[in-house]
Each structure stands twice: as structure tokens, then as C-alpha cells.
């Protein structure tokens, strides 16, 4: 424990420390010499492009990808053109910017993904220098060409090239340059000798940093901080100017006494930094220059590369990987020699407690007297987060936990979440994983992204464990990882479809929110259609299956799935697709086997394509529906001839369908139509389109009795109907003589009660009475009642000795006027009831 | 009602929330098209829209003029047009014509089409085919449910019945599923779901699917159980003449969206008057579920009470009079007005319904239901047709005859059909074809074993399953299902006892004691048995697809005991006011509260009119 401060160096009133992260697992014969190196921030992977040992024209450089701990992830000979710059995207893809402006994108395992070009102009002029930068918009690429022109691509996933304006007086590459993102604008800051320019979309503005020492005649290196807020300039006079990127404030200027250009220069800051600094690297020297104008010097025994991080600088060498950072104040307070900070005391107290010494109590008392125990615990928890060594972390956490025992209302969350975070961090920092994240970086990056990165490195088990451990909701956690795993699994060409499908289904099981269709889509992309179909079987939502099935040209299956889903929109999608894909015959055949789809399509045709509907029925030999179709069409037709011909077609179809009834009915309709037309022409009646009944009625009303008779015979109208018709027609005309004649013509098939009723309806009681006598005995009562003849009704009812009828009559009698009748009826009823 | 209430009835959940949700969404959608705009509304969305947002609300959100969609060229000077329509192909086509006409004359406007309650792919395809997909923006107004009353919620989709059961077009099933999902998320979780019918099953599945996709919220349930039922499980009930007051009003005056227009003969003035019929109307609320024969008694009692209340005035001093005028008079006046309206309506109905014809028709209906004196019934129907009494009524009787007798004898079928065509025109050939397809009016097939049910099943399911079902059903062939069902479930009470309509003893009172509606009886039985056990034979005769599922929220299946006694009944294909009255009665008897969700309120005329084919 006493050694914790051994690697601390004071810088101003703060300390800097250099922690060893890893002993590198790689074995590089010549170290990092003659290598082009790119290391991604947030403990990302490292790419090396090594020039071949023997300088022969046939020899190709080797591209190697390692984890931060130096575990090899890929290695292959570089077969494309000369590379100017390597860089990593925010999602851990490797960018290789070639001399001709082509940018190749590889994944973490060296698989080529795609490429794009930085513009045609570059092909001739070549790329002199290139930089990969990160902004809120994603990963960008900036190049400067042989013609001294800058071109920017803000986001490589949404490629829009921007050629920046010319820089006056610039020949070849500038002495140094950097990309800035300010106010949502991306700009280039460049130095040409002593002149400094800011280059944006439209203009090139010369700028001067405030208070830059006049001795300098050239700016030879510059560095922009991780957050794009601070700028450092190094001049040929050995001065290091530090200020804000907007060039309004100067922080400090340090004289380094080294005049040669540093190989690399990066900012080392941390959030809430007290003493930000710039780390400069020369061949053998690493210099940390603080704002306080003090410096720390480290000697380097090997070729190194600096990687700027959010909270420090990583230094990657051939044998070691180290982290240089300002000691966080919590750590400083606790570990600084002779510190009396609450955290330090608590740590001491705990140490004594473990030794079973009573001093523990003294220390505790001291803290409690100042009533800073809460703060002490907080400090210990916080410091644990900043420590890299698990042992140190544990010591601090134990102390915190010890201190917590003496507090009654200390919230447990910070402690618990710190323990969790550290557990996760330690597991990803493990040599085999090789992601040396600090707690600060981890918080900035979020668990989601960390899981993504692990997934991207195919570390599925670890990713799942972390998700489970952190209790990430399944949908965003375990399920997502499993989906990626499955997508990766389906690409394993050597395994048979069957076993992959099984493996996938076993692993994924019932995990929530898994989209099998996405996995299947991946399988299909890899040309494994059969596997894709098998996987789709697991997809519970039929809706998701259909689009892919269509894409794979399994439209039949797609159709059945769509129908299964019960979503008619989906069915319709497939039907439309099929309609365009298939020839008509096959299309109809397909529909025929799928009644749901067929009826949907029919509905559509009914409104949109009448003719298609006919074809559909034809195809099915559905003569009955065809007949109906023609009948329906005939009613839309205004011309009689066309109407008749449509009806004739209907008759033919009905005959084919062996529906004699319909055929006959249609034929009669044709007959009727012809008859109506003839009459319309002859007599000027408007009969066309009326039903037979209405035609007859119209004829009778208009006194065309002969024609009516003819219709009656021709169409074999039932007697009853004819009688009813004639009866009502005559009554409506109030042609009482004719009615009487009609009544006497022969025995009425409908009886004579209707005659009575019809007359009464026309308020002609006189006529009505004529027929009462003819009414059958059963209806006598009704007939009498109809004409309001209570006496008669009573007479008839009593005669028939029907209790029901007597009651009916009774109900109509009023107690005041028909007293005598009432009595009679009551008597009769009681006799009837007795019987 | 005079019978005893078994338990205190649970409180119904507040469904006005549904209206508020719909209104807020509509306003949001209207605001998506800022500035003044003209709004075109589909004709059958007018009344539902009126329930949700009145003209003032629309005007507040910069709707300038309102038009009804009439499928004609438009006269509008606004440069922004908004269409609020059902997802129907004809309407979309009309919009295409409007847009293309504007294009032809070089007029530039902004168009927005709001589909209610959802858009269909077919509609979008049409927009694309007509080349205007880029000119219009489309949106969905997910206004699935309109609460018509405290216990009635309607989807206002009358075409559901025809589309689904006749045309085999299942696009509305998902809509029904979504509606159920909405209710579930607002008033669920449901602890038990029962259902019968193919469409119910599909709607249930569609709902479950949506539940799976969405997130689950744990909340206190307002509605415990759900019962889904297809209209074609029971086609007899909607075809019977309604004799309960509310049903009768619907049959005669046609209640539209909970609102009825009484003509001058009712209002006893020279104008007609629109009246909202719901539980807010105190007079109506008391008589709506009563058999018509009882209504007059109630109304006159009411009138007397009212008179007494008015009469109180006579003995009052100034102060009392003042309180009377300020507190009671207004209420009395309102009640007076309503009372006179309902008396007017009753008189008007009385005139129509106490006529001989109607009495005889009822007698025929009851005979059909009982299976008594069928020949007499047939001659009555024949005469009805021959006298051209009423196109729809004749058809209704024919269908009832066919349904209760399980098909007509070929001889009768042909002669009745021929006479019908003579009376009402040969274009009804198509109507008969539709009725046959739906199984409403069929011919008994002497030699063949194919039953009504089978042909219906065969039409709906694909070949493979149909084969299996055919086997299963051949045993049932030629059995009169309605008769058998009626016997098994005791649907027709014994006719020898006098049925006292004043003190109804069962749900049969809604049909003058002649018939307990099959749909309601099924619900009663299933709730009683807590499932379908013991009803196997019944479901086999109905052609099943029955199901009973216990909800996933198994932790506390009893839940709030009150909520368990609130039962949501969803009719797919419509339900009648009589059925609702029957359920209200059942609820009072058993201590339940029923909430009826229906695709639309239907009655015999609406069912049959949807079968007509001369408009399509």
C-alpha cells in the first residue's frame, strides 16, 4: 500500500501517475519501428501496418490487428495500394486511407466490408496526409491532397464530401494541422510556417493565438484536446502554447528547451482536471508539460505511440502498455503521504481494524468528531473507481463498507453500483479481453456500447454474463446479444443447416424480443435460403416472416404465412406481389388454394377490376358466380339490348351451373323486359324494369286488363297473387263495379275477407258489406268487426261458440253503449267455456 | 322492474375516456395540417364524429368548411383539404379523382387523408397506382370505439357483417382485435376470456398478438371477464321482431349512433326532432328494457307523478315557489318534454304495431320458433309475398323459416323464391344467392349430406381442414340444428303457461315470452359453468370454435371482486337492442353488469339490407 504513490510525480499542485495496463502479448521483432499504428480510444483495438523486412518490390506489408493487450485478432498481407493513414471508427471498424483517396473499411477481424473514395480529384493529386476524427456526427475523414486542398467527409456512414477552400500561399502539405468540431461545424486548423489558418466550408481565415512567444517562426506541431476545447501549439523555438480552440484565451506557455519537432503531441486532461497538461513525445523522451509551466520527464526505452483518452493518455510500446493520467483528487486525498483527508483516515481505521487494533476506534472517532464519515465513505468509493489494481479497489471498498456500518442513513446505491461497475470493468480489462477502460470512460461510453463492443468482438458469453449481472432488460441485453450470436452463427459455412437451426433455436429459446426474421435475413444474405426458411419457422410473428419469404421468392409459403397471421394487409401485400410476379394463370391457381386471399382479391376486383373478377370465376368454372356477375352487370347497363345480351349470358352460365331455377328466372326476366318494352312503345307506359308484380299492378291500374291477363297466363302467376293484385288495384281506383264483377267471376282463391278489408281500407263500408256474407264462417267475426258491425260479429261468434272469438268481440264493446250485447256475449262465453 | 335484484350491481367503468382519447388524437391530427382547411367526412362517420367533437371544436382547429363525402366533384376554395374517411376503396378512388382533377387544371393544394380507424394496404396501393401518393399525406385516427351509452360501445362498422360473414373478407378482424386491445389496456387485464365462433377466435388471437408486442402494465382491472361471440352463431335472434321498447324504436324509427329522429307524427308539431336515447334520458332509461305492452302503463304512471309534482305549486307561498322554480321546475319541464316525446313515439308505434297484420306476423314468428303449424306459417309468408307487403319483411320471414326448419323443402324453396322474384323483381336472384351463401335461406338437399353449416364452413376454411370438418359434420346432416339447440338449451319456454310480462322470469320476456335469444343463453350458460364443459353438444351443433382462456395475470385470478362481475360481451357482426335488454335483465338477476361491445347495432332490416346486392 505504501507503494501506491511510488509512481506519482508532482506537477504543479497535482500529481501525475503512470500505471502499467498490460505486458503486451504480441511479439514484435522490431518493436513499433517502421510501423504505421492506429489505436482506437476507449481501450479499443490496435492496428499495425508493418513494412516488410526485405525491401523488395514484391514484398507486401502486413496488416495486423491486436487487442489493447496485444492479443492478435487478425493478420493478413496488405494487397491494396499504399496506405497513408490508418484509423478506427466509433464502432470499431478499421479505416485504411490509401494514397489514391480510396478508403477501405475492414471489421475488427480483418474482413473487408466496403470502400469509398474521397473524390476523383484525389486520384491524380494523391493524398499527402489524412486524419480520422470523431464528432457527434460519427466518424469522419479529412485529407489534404498534393494540390494542397483539403477534403472532409463528416460521416463515413452518410458520405458527403466537402472540398474546403484554397489556403493562400500553401504549397504541399502544411507544417501541421488538426480537425476541430466547434458549434456543430467541422473546421480544419492548419499552420503554414508561422501562419495559422482556420478553414471552414466557405472561407480560410488567418488567426493569431493570443500571447504566442514572438521568437517562434514556425508552428511545427499542434494538438486538440479530446473534447475539442483546448489547443496546444508547438513552435520551432521549443515553446508550447496552450489555450482554447477558439483562440481567445491563453492558458499558459511552457518552454520545453527541445527544438526538434515532437513525434506526437496529445492533451492529457480529465474531467474536473486541476492540472491539465500536454504530453509530448520524442524518440527517447516523454515530456508532460503542465499548465503550471512545470514539466515531468520520462525516458522511453522503446518506440511508443500515444493514444489520447478522455481522462489521460495511453502509451503503447512494443513490450508495455501504460496509462498516464493526473491522479484524481479522491485518490490523491486518500493516498497522499500524511493525508488527513476523511477517506485517508477511514482507510487507516479499517487497516487497524483488520489488525484488531484499538487504534481503529481512535481513527473512527476522529472522523466522527469532524462528522465527515459520510464524506469519507464517499471518497473511498470514488477512489476505488479510479484504481486499476483489483487489490487496491478491494481495500478501498472494504474501508468504505466498514465506514458505512457506522452510518445509519447512508444511501447504499453508490457503493453497490460501484461494486458492480468495477466487476464489469475488471472482467473486460482482463488480458484475454483487453479493453482497458477506466471508470470515467465506462460511464461516458455506457453499458450499451460496451455490450456492443463485446458483441462485435464475438465475446458473446461475456456479454451475456454482463447483461445478466447488470440485470439489463432482456430486450436490450441478453436477447440482443443472442441475436448477434445467431447472426454470426448462421455464417458458419461448414455447419449443416439442420444443426445450425437447432443450435439457434435451443440457445435463443423463448428469449424475449428476438427477431428470428433478422437472423434469417442474415442467413439469406449469406446465400443460405434453406437455413433462412428453417429459422423463419421459429419466428412467432408471421408478419415478420412474410417480407423475407417474398424476397427469397417463396411466395406461396409467404402467402400461407400471411394468412396465418390474420393480418389482411399482409395478405394483400403478398397478393399484389404475386400478381406482378406470376403469370395470370398461376396467380389464379395460387389464389384458388387460399380462400382468404381469394376473397380479399375478389373484394378488390369488385371495386377496381370487374373484368378480372370475371376471369377469376372463369378460371374456377364457377358458373353460378359468373351468372350472378352477368346479372349484376345487367343492372348497371342502361341500354335494353345490352342488358338482354348480358342476361342471356347469365342464362347460359346458370345452365352450365345446372341451376335451372336461376336460368328460368332470368329467362323470364328477359321475357318480361321484352314485354314491357313492347307495351311501353305501344301504350307509352313506363313499365321497363318493374317487377312482374308491379307490372301487373300498373297494367291493372291503367285498365289494361287484357294485357294483364296475358301476363298472368304467360308467367303462370299463382291465382292467389293475381286475385290479390287485381283486388288491390281495383280498390285503389275505387272501381267498385268492376270489383263486384271480379268477385263474382269465380270463387275467390283468397276468400272474401280481403274484399271486405280492402273496401274498409278505402272507407267504403257500403261496398264492404256486400262481401261479408260471402266470407267463410271462420272469418265471419273478423269481417263483421272490420265493418264495425258489432252485432253481426257477436252473432257470428256466438254461433261458432268460440270462446276466443267471443272475447275478441267483447274487447271491442264499450260498457256504456253496448250493455245488452255485453251481457249476451258474457253469457255465451260462459256456456262456451263450460263445454 | 319488479323482480328482485340479487346483489348490488357493480359500478361500470367510465368509458367516456375513450371519447377523450379519440378527440385528443383527432385534434392532434388536424393540427398536423396547420392553417385553414376544408374537411371532408365520410357519410357514415358523420354521426360518430359528432359524438366525439362538435363543429365548434373542429372550427377551433382551423377547419373552415365541412363537407360530406358524396363521391362527386368538389367545390372548395381552400388550398388545404383534409379527408376523414373509412378505409374503403371507393372513397380512396374518389380522392384520387379529386386530386387528379386539381392537377389537370394546375391547381395546387395540400391534401391529407385520415383513415379511421386504420389504413389498409389496398388503399395505399391505390394511391400509388393513381400516382398521387406523393401529393397526399396519410394518417390513421385510431378511433375504434364509440361509447353509445354507459354500457354500450360500438365500433360503428356495419359492413363488418357482410364483409366478414358473406364475402369472407377478414380485414376487419384485426380492427376488432385492436379494439379489444385498447379496452384491455385501459380497463384490463381481463382474467378470463370466453368466445365462440371463428371470427371471435381470430379477433382473440389478433388481440393476444398485440398484447405480446406491446408492453404490459400492471393495474387494477375494471373489467374482469370477456365473452366474444360471432353474429353467425345466432342468426335467429336478430331476425325476430323486436318488442322491447328500445328495440322497437330501432325497428321503426332507426336509431342512428344512439340518436333517433322522431317525425312530426311523434313530436306533434310540424318539425321532426333529433333525440339522444341513452341513460341520461330519465324517462327512456326506465322504459327502454320494458316489453312494449308495459310501456304505456309506465308512461301514464309517470305522467301522474309529474302532475303531482306540478300540483305542489298550488299550496306554496312566495318563498317556496321561488325555490320550486329555481330548483325543481327545470327538471320537471325537461322530464315533461321527454315524457311527451316518448308518449308520442309509443302512440305512433302502437298504431303500427297493434294492427292485425303485426299481431299475425308475431304469431307466425312464434310458431316458427316453436316449430308449430309450419304449413300455416308458409301460407302466411306466401300471402305476405303475394301482397307485396314489404320486401325486407318477406325476406325476414323466409329466412326465419329456413333457419328454424334447417332449410326449406325443395318444393317450398322454389315456389316461394319464384313468388318473391315476381313480387320484388328478379334482381333478388343475387340476394338469394347471398342468403344461400350465408346459410340464411337454404334448400334442404334431399340426397346429399351437405348441411347448411358445412357449406358455410367449407367456404371459410381452406380445403384441408374443410375435409376434416365435413367428416365431422356428416353425422349431423339433416338434423334441425335450431330445433335441437332450442330443445337442449330450453330456448322456447312451454307455451301452456301464461307468461306475465310485467314480472319477467327469464330473458324470453324480450320476445313476449316466446323465445330466449340463443346468444344470451349461451353467455348465461358459459358464465354459469365457467367454461364450455357440458355444452359440447351445443357447440358441435353451432360449429364451435369455442374457447375459454384464463388470463396471464394469474397471480390474483379473483382480482377485485367487483371487476369480476363486470363482463364485456363483444358481438362480432352486430347485436340488437333486444339482446342488450336481455343481458341487462340477466345482469340484474345474477348480479353481473354487462358491457356490450359490438361492431354495430343491428336489427333484422339492417342484416337483410346488407345482403342486398343491387348497390354494390
Amino acid at each position: 500500500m505504501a507503494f501506491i504513490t511510488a509512481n506519482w510525480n508532482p506537477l504543479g499542485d497535482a500529481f501525475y501517475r503512470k500505471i502499467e495496463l498490460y505486458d503486451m502479448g504480441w511479439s514484435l521483432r522490431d518493436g513499433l519501428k517502421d510501423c504505421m499504428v492506429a489505436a482506437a480510444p476507449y481501450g479499443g483495438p490496435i492496428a499495425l501496418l508493418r513494412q516488410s523486412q526485405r525491401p523488395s518490390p514484391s514484398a507486401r506489408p502486413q496488416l495486423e490487428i491486436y487487442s489493447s493487450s496485444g492479443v492478435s485478432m487478425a493478420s493478413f498481407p496488405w494487397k491494396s495500394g499504399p496506405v497513408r493513414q490508418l484509423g478506427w471508427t466509433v464502432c470499431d471498424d478499421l479505416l485504411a486511407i490509401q494514397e489514391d483517396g480510396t478508403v477501405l473499411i475492414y471489421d475488427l477481424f480483418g474482413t473487408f466490408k466496403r470502400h469509398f473514395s474521397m473524390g476523383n480529384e484525389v486520384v491524380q493529386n494523391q493524398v499527402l496526409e489524412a486524419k480520422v476524427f470523431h464528432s457527434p456526427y460519427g466518424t469522419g475523414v479529412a485529407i489534404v491532397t498534393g494540390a494542397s486542398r483539403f477534403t472532409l467527409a463528416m460521416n463515413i456512414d452518410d458520405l458527403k464530401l466537402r472540398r474546403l477552400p484554397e489556403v493562400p500561399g500553401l504549397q504541399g502539405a502544411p507544417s501541421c494541422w488538426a480537425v476541430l468540431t466547434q458549434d456543430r461545424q467541422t473546421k480544419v486548423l492548419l499552420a503554414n510556417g508561422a501562419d495559422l489558418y482556420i478553414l471552414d466550408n466557405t472561407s480560410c481565415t488567418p488567426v493569431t493565438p493570443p500571447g504566442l512567444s514572438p521568437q517562434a517562426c514556425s508552428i511545427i506541431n499542434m494538438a486538440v484536446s479530446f473534447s475539442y476545447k483546448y489547443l496546444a501549439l508547438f513552435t520551432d523555438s521549443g515553446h508550447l502554447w496552450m489555450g482554447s480552440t477558439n483562440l481567445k484565451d491563453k492558458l499558459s506557455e511552457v518552454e520545453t528547451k527541445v527544438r526538434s519537432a515532437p513525434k506526437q503531441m496529445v492533451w492529457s486532461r480529465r474531467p474536473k482536471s486541476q492540472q491539465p497538461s500536454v504530453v509530448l513525445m520524442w524518440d527517447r523522451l516523454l515530456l508532460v508539460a503542465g499548465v503550471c509551466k512545470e514539466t515531468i520527464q520520462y525516458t522511453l526505452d522503446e518506440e511508443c505511440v500515444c493514444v489520447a483518452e478522455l481522462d489521460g493518455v495511453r502509451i503503447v510500446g512494443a513490450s508495455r502498455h501504460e496509462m498516464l493520467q493526473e491522479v484524481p483528487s479522491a485518490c490523491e486525498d486518500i493516498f497522499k503521504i500524511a493525508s488527513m483527508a476523511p477517506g485517508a483516515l477511514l482507510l487507516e481505521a479499517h487497516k487497524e481494524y483488520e489488525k484488531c487494533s484499538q487504534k481503529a476506534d481512535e481513527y473512527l472517532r476522529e472522523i466522527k468528531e469532524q462528522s465527515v464519515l459520510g464524506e469519507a465513505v464517499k471518497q473511498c468509493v470514488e477512489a476505488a473507481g479510479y484504481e486499476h489494481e483489483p487489490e487496491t479497489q478491494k481495500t478501498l471498498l472494504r474501508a468504505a463498507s466498514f465506514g458505512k456500518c457506522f452510518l445509519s442513513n447512508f444511501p447504499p446505491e453508490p457503493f453497490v453500483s460501484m461494486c458492480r461497475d468495477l466487476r464489469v470493468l475488471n472482467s473486460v480489462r482482463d488480458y484475454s479481453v483487453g479493453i482497458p477502460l477506466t471508470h470515467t470512460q465506462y460511464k461516458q461510453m455506457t453499458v450499451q456500447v460496451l455490450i456492443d463492443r463485446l458483441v462485435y468482438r464475438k465475446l458473446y458469453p461475456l456479454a451475456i454474463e454482463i447483461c445478466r449481472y447488470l440485470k439489463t432488460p432482456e430486450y436490450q441485453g441478453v436477447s440482443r446479444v443472442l441475436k448477434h450470436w445467431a447472426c454470426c452463427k448462421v455464417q458458419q459455412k461448414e455447419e449443416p443447416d439442420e444443426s445450425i437451426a437447432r443450435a439457434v433455436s435451443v440457445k435463443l429459446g423463448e428469449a424475449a424480443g428476438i427477431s428470428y426474421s433478422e437472423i434469417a435475413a442474415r442467413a439469406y444474405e449469406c446465400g443460405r435460403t434453406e437455413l433462412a426458411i428453417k429459422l423463419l419457422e421459429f419466428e412467432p410473428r408471421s408478419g415478420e416472416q412474410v417480407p423475407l419469404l417474398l424476397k427469397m421468392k417463396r411466395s406461396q409459403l409467404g402467402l400461407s404465412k400471411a394468412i396465418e397471421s390474420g393480418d389482411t394487409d399482409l395478405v394483400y401485400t403478398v397478393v399484389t406481389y404475386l400478381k406482378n410476379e406470376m403469370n395470370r394463370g398461376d396467380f389464379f391457381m395460387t389464389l384458388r388454394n387460399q380462400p382468404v386471399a381469394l376473397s380479399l382479391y375478389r373484394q378488390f376486383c369488385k371495386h377496381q377490376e370487374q373484368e378480372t373478377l370475371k376471369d377469376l370465376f372463369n378460371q374456377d368454372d364457377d358458373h353460378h358466380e359468373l351468372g350472378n356477375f352477368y346479372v349484376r352487370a345487367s343492372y348497371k347497363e342502361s341500354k335494353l339490348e345490352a342488358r338482354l345480351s348480358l342476361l342471356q349470358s347469365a342464362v347460359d352460365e346458370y345452365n352450365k351451373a345446372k341451376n335451372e331455377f336461376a336460368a328460368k328466372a332470368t329467362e323470364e326476366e328477359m321475357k318480361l323486359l321484352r314485354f314491357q318494352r313492347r307495351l311501353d312503345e305501344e301504350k307509352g307506359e313506363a313499365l321497363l324494369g318493374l317487377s312482374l308484380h308491379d307490372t301487373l299492378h300498373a297494367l291493372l291500374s291503367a285498365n289494361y286488363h287484357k294485357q294483364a291477363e296475358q301476363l298472368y297466363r304467360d308467367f303462370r302467376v299463382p291465382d292467389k297473387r293475381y286475385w290479390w293484385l287485381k283486388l288491390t288495384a281495383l280498390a285503389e281506383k275505387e272501381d267498385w263495379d268492376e270489383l263486384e264483377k271480379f268477385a263474382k267471376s269465380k270463387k275467390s282463391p283468397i276468400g272474401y275477407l280481403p274484399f271486405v278489408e280492402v273496401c274498409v281500407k278505402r272507407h267504403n263500408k257500403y261496398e264492404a258489406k256486400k262481401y261479408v256474407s260471402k266470407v267463410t264462417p271462420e272469418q265471419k267475426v273478423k269481417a263483421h268487426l272490420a265493418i264495425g258491425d258489432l252485432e253481426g260479429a257477436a252473432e257470428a261468434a256466438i254461433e261458432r261458440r268460440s270462446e276466443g272469438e267471443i272475447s275478441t268481440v267483447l274487447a271491442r264493446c264499450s260498457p256504456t253503449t253496448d250493455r245488452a250485447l255485453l251481457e249476451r256475449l258474457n253469457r255465451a262465453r260462459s256456456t262456451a267455456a263450460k263445454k | 322492474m319488479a323482480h328482485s335484484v340479487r346483489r348490488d350491481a357493480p359500478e361500470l367503468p367510465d368509458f367516456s375516456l375513450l371519447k377523450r382519447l379519440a378527440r385528443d388524437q383527432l385534434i392532434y391530427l388536424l393540427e398536423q395540417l396547420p392553417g385553414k382547411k376544408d374537411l371532408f367526412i365520410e357519410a357514415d362517420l358523420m354521426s360518430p364524429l359528432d359524438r366525439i367533437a362538435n363543429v365548434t371544436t373542429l372550427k377551433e382547429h382551423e377547419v373552415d368548411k365541412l363537407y360530406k363525402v358524396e363521391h362527386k366533384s368538389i367545390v372548395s376554395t381552400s388550398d388545404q383539404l383534409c379527408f376523414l374517411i373509412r378505409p374503403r376503396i371507393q372513397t380512396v378512388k374518389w380522392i384520387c379523382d379529386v386530386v387528379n382533377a386539381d392537377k389537370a387544371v394546375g391547381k395546387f393544394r395540400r391534401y391529407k387523408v385520415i383513415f379511421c380507424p386504420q389504413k389498409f394496404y389496398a388503399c395505399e396501393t391505390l394511391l400509388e397506382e393513381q400516382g398521387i401518393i406523393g401529393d397526399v399525406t396519410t394518417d390513421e385516427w385510431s378511433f375504434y370505439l364509440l361509447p353509445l351509452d354507459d354500457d354500450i360501445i360500438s365500433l360503428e362498422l356495419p359492413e363488418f357483417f357482410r364483409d366478414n360473414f358473406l364475402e369472407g373478407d377478414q380485414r376487419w378482424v384485426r380492427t376488432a382485435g385492436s379494439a379489444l386491445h385498447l379496452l384491455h389496456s385501459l380497463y384490463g387485464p381481463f382474467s378470463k376470456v370466453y368466445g365462440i365462433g371463428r371470427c371471435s377466435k381470430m379477433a382473440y388471437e389478433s388481440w393476444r398478438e398485440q398484447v405480446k408486442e406491446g408492453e404490459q402494465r400492471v393495474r387494477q382491472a375494471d373489467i374482469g371477464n370477456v365473452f366474444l361471440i360471432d353474429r353467425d352463431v345466432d342468426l335467429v335472434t336478430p331476425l325476430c321482431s323486436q318488442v322491447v321498447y328500445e328495440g322497437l324504436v330501432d325497428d321503426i324509427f332507426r336509431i342512428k349512433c344512439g340518436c333517433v329522429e322522431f317525425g312530426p307524427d311523434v313530436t306533434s308539431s310540424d318539425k321532426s326532432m333529433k333525440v339522444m336515447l341513452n341513460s341520461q334520458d330519465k324517462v327512456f332509461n326506465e322504459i327502454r328494457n320494458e316489453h312494449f305492452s308495459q310501456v304505456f302503463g309506465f308512461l301514464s304512471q309517470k305522467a301522474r307523478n309529474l302532475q303531482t309534482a306540478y300540483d305542489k305549486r298550488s299550496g306554496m307561498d312566495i318563498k317556496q315557489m321561488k325555490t320550486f322554480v329555481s330548483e325543481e321546475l327545470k327538471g320537471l319541464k325537461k322530464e315533461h318534454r321527454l315524457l311527451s316525446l316518448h308518449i308520442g313515439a309509443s302512440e305512433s308505434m302502437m298504431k303500427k304495431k297493434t294492427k292485425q297484420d303485426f299481431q299475425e306476423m308475431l304469431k307466425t314468428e312464434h310458431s316458427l320458433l316453436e316449430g308449430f303449424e309450419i304449413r300455416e306459417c308458409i301460407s302466411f309468408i306466401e300471402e305476405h309475398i303475394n301482397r307485396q307487403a314489404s320486401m325486407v319483411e318477406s325476406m325476414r320471414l323466409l329466412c326465419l323459416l329456413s333457419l328454424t326448419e334447417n332449410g326449406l323443402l325443395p318444393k317450398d324453396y322454389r315456389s316461394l323464391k319464384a313468388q318473391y322474384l315476381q313480387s320484388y323483381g328478379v334482381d333478388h336472384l343475387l340476394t338469394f344467392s347471398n342468403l344461400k351463401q350465408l346459410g340464411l335461406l337454404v334448400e334442404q338437399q334431399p340426397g346429399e349430406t351437405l348441411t347448411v353449416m358445412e357449406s358455410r364452413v367449407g367456404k371459410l376454411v381452406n380445403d384441408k381442414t374443410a375435409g376434416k370438418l365435413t367428416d365431422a359434420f356428416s353425422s349431423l346432416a339433416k338434423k334441425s340444428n335450431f330445433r335441437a339447440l332450442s330443445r337442449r338449451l330450453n330456448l322456447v319456454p312451454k307455451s301452456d303457461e301464461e307468461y306475465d310480462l310485467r314480472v319477467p322470469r327469464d330473458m324470453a320476456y324480450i320476445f313476449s315470452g316466446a323465445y330466449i335469444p340463443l346468444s344470451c343463453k349461451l353467455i348465461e350458460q358459459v358464465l354459469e359453468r365457467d367454461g364450455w364443459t357440458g355444452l359440447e353438444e351445443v357447440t358441435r351443433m353451432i360449429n364451435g370454435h369455442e374457447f375459454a382462456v384464463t388470463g396471464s395475470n394469474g397471480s390474483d385470478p379473483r382480482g377485485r371482486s367487483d371487476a369480476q362481475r363486470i363482463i364485456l360481451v363483444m358481438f362480432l357482426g352486430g347485436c340488437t337492442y333486444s339482446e342488450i335488454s336481455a343481458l341487462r335483465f340477466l345482469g340484474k338477476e345474477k348480479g353481473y353488469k354487462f358491457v356490450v361491445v359490438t361492431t354495430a347495432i343491428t336489427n333484422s332490416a339492417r342484416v337483410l339490407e346488407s345482403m342486398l346486392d343491387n348497390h354494390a
Side-chain angles (χ1 to χ4, degrees), chain A residues 569 599 628 691 693-694 721, chain B residues 121 168 386 388 419 422-423 433:
Chain A
D569 267 7
S599 36
N628 286 349
S691 75
H693 187 106
D694 293 337
R721 171 190 295 272
Chain B
Y121 178 73
N386 279 340
Q388 231 187 5
Q419 299 193 40
Q422 286 187 354
S423 266
S433 164

Side-chain angles (χ1 to χ4, degrees), chain A residues 320-340:
Chain A
R320 267 194 312 280
H321 188 161
E322 293 169 313
M323 173 90 181
L324 176 71
Q325 63 171 179
E326 186 189 326
V327 177
S329 59
C331 296
E332 191 187 319
D333 283 345
I334 291 178
F335 293 117
K336 203 163 72 177
I337 294 161
S339 166
M340 290 298 278

Side-chain angles (χ1 to χ4, degrees), chain B residues 223-240:
Chain B
I223 295 175
N225 301 316
V226 176
F227 195 103
L228 301 170
I229 183 166
D230 279 19
R231 185 67 272 175
D232 71 345
V233 164
D234 173 15
L235 287 168
V236 174
T237 308
L239 290 181
C240 294

